[in-house]
Amino acid sequence: MSANVNTSLPLEYQTEQSRLNILGFWIFLGAEIVLFATLFGVYAVLYQRYAGGPTHQDIIMIKEVMIQTLLLLTSSFTMGLAIFEMRRGNLKGLIAWLVITLLLGAGFLFMEINEFTHYVHKGATMQTSAFLSSFFVLLGTHGAHVTLGIGWAIMIIIQLVKRGLTPVTARKTFIIGLYWHFLDVIWIFIFTFVYLKGMVA
């Protein structure tokens, strides 16, 4: 076992198993990119099919969406700080920044749920039009991924508290960091091509 450990590398890369797991997760993210690319493609085809229902301008709350964006992008920064503290071997700092990241992510989800509730009160549901079906599926899929990420990170924090920083817990933390940054990148595309483009369409 010790022959497979390379202490010159960051903790999360020191074992061969960790390196393989991280590579496998990059491949998984490639599949996720295909999923979201498909959803964006469907939205691009249907985004003007209103069927007499509400349009972008009728429902979108751009100020609230800006706050959501700020929360999620800030959480990407705090996740980066968590990984930085992990690389320094600072367990308390790592956990603290992970908790802050999760609070920001929870704030994002809370605002997104309020956003969806607002749309429904405006008569904008998945059944209203093809535009709204593609809109809700795209945003809902991203929101589900954020929810999964929060639950996943909570489990990793519990492991960090119980086991401390090891090559295994470091690898798991690094992977959730990759996942979280991926979700932030997807949100940038959603904000640009769904919200901003919708406001000027």
Side-chain angles (χ1 to χ4, degrees), residues 164-183:
L165 262 178
T166 68
V168 173
T169 57
R171 178 241 301 164
K172 292 179 179 180
T173 304
F174 183 74
I175 286 175
I176 188 62
L178 291 177
Y179 180 77
W180 199 262
H181 291 311
F182 167 76
L183 295 180

Side-chain angles (χ1 to χ4, degrees), residues 120-137:
V120 171
H121 285 313
K122 286 272 192 177
T125 67
M126 287 189 69
Q127 294 79 24
T128 303
S129 66
F131 152 62
L132 287 167
S133 293
S134 60
F135 177 85
F136 278 114
V137 169

